Amino acid sequence: EDKVVQSPLSLVVHEGDTVTLNCSYEVTNFRSLLWYKQEKKAPTFLFMLTSSGIEKKSGRLSSILDKKELFSILNITATQTGDSAVYLCAVVLGDDKIIFGKGTRLHILP
Amino acid sequence: DAGVIQSPRHEVTEMGQEVTLRCKPISGHNSLFWYRQTMMRGLELLIYFNNNVPIDDSGMPEDRFSAKMPNASFSTLKIQPSEPRDSAVYFCASSLEVGAGLYEQYFGPGTRLTVT
């Protein structure tokens, strides 16, 4: 059965800290991996990763994919209270099916 | 652009009633996705359309659920009859193209459904 597992489930850190969120997957026909940020409402797109070892970066956020070890990490440096959200990882399969992880709930303390 | 529009934003209904959720994708997007999100199961893809054609409905939980996309600017997700376990937030998302690797989906605000 195809699955996407995120860890930790929940994380509380102080403003200014760096966090690393993990996403591991076991799927039969991997095409790409997506990261989303979900605050109070709908998820917003962060990154799409298709190739191993190539870092995607946007401001204080960065992400990288390891297709050999079947995982991705999302890094957030110098965290701010506005980074508090649920971060969702999703894997897109070759037949265009999309499987989401349960998310990591990140809370940044001021 | 107004983004993906969903209606209603909240719905409370009694078990056994028919529920219809509506979605207007972003103009020009040719793929539309329906998701359901609950605390227990997280975000699940129910069905998606490409150029108004349903491509994969394997995520639809059972026959009580049906979705249509009569034209490029409108889709519905219907639950008949509704049950308390259908209570969830239902998201609609659209993207420019499926299959070419472009998966920057834009999500609507969601419909929070409560079935009592």
Side-chain angles (χ1 to χ4, degrees):
Chain A
E1 183 188 343
D2 297 322
K3 61 180 180 180
V4 176
V5 178
Q6 291 187 246
S7 63
L9 291 179
S10 180
L11 189 59
V12 181
V13 300
H14 285 282
E15 205 168 21
D17 288 349
T18 293
V19 298
T20 298
L21 311 183
N22 302 287
C23 175
S24 64
Y25 59 91
E26 289 181 30
V27 300
T28 52
N29 189 4
F30 176 92
R31 174 180 283 181
S32 63
L33 186 143
L34 314 172
W35 283 98
Y36 288 87
K37 176 183 181 182
Q38 185 175 22
E39 296 174 87
K40 290 184 179 177
K41 297 183 178 178
T44 55
F45 176 82
L46 294 176
F47 298 113
M48 180 175 75
L49 304 160
T50 54
S51 301
S52 267
I54 298 175
E55 185 183 55
K56 292 280 184 93
K57 199 169 171 64
S58 175
R60 296 176 295 102
L61 276 65
S62 64
S63 183
I64 198 161
L65 173 67
D66 186 328
K67 290 168 76 173
K68 183 179 176 185
E69 300 297 330
L70 309 182
F71 76 93
S72 173
I73 59 172
L74 175 68
N75 274 324
I76 310 175
T77 59
T79 52
Q80 302 170 359
T81 54
D83 296 325
S84 296
V86 174
Y87 290 83
L88 297 167
C89 168
V91 170
V92 182
L93 306 183
D95 57 0
D96 291 333
K97 202 164 290 193
I98 301 175
I99 303 172
F100 278 81
K102 294 284 178 63
T104 293
R105 184 173 296 277
L106 175 64
H107 185 63
I108 310 297
L109 298 171
Chain B
D1 196 323
V4 176
I5 299 172
Q6 289 186 248
S7 65
R9 296 294 305 277
H10 299 269
E11 176 147 359
V12 180
T13 191
E14 290 185 338
M15 184 173 66
Q17 296 297 306
E18 177 180 295
V19 174
T20 300
L21 311 181
R22 296 173 176 81
C23 175
K24 178 177 171 19
I26 292 173
S27 177
H29 282 191
N30 63 348
S31 296
L32 184 140
F33 305 78
W34 281 102
Y35 292 91
R36 177 174 67 176
Q37 186 173 40
T38 61
M39 289 292 291
M40 290 293 293
R41 300 175 66 90
L43 195 61
E44 302 171 280
L45 177 65
L46 300 177
I47 185 172
Y48 75 91
F49 295 83
N50 191 27
N51 294 320
N52 312 339
V53 176
I55 301 301
D56 184 356
D57 65 354
S58 59
M60 296 284 261
E62 48 198 271
D63 292 345
R64 297 183 297 106
F65 286 68
S66 63
K68 293 182 180 179
M69 191 165 185
N71 57 62
S73 59
F74 183 65
S75 177
T76 59
L77 178 68
K78 187 175 291 188
I79 309 172
Q80 166 63 17
S82 58
E83 296 182 3
R85 61 193 167 120
D86 301 330
S87 298
V89 179
Y90 290 81
F91 287 104
C92 174
S94 71
S95 70
L96 191 52
E97 185 169 342
V98 165
L102 187 64
Y103 280 100
E104 187 167 340
Q105 296 181 10
Y106 293 84
F107 280 74
T111 294
R112 182 174 294 278
L113 173 65
T114 303
V115 183
T116 62

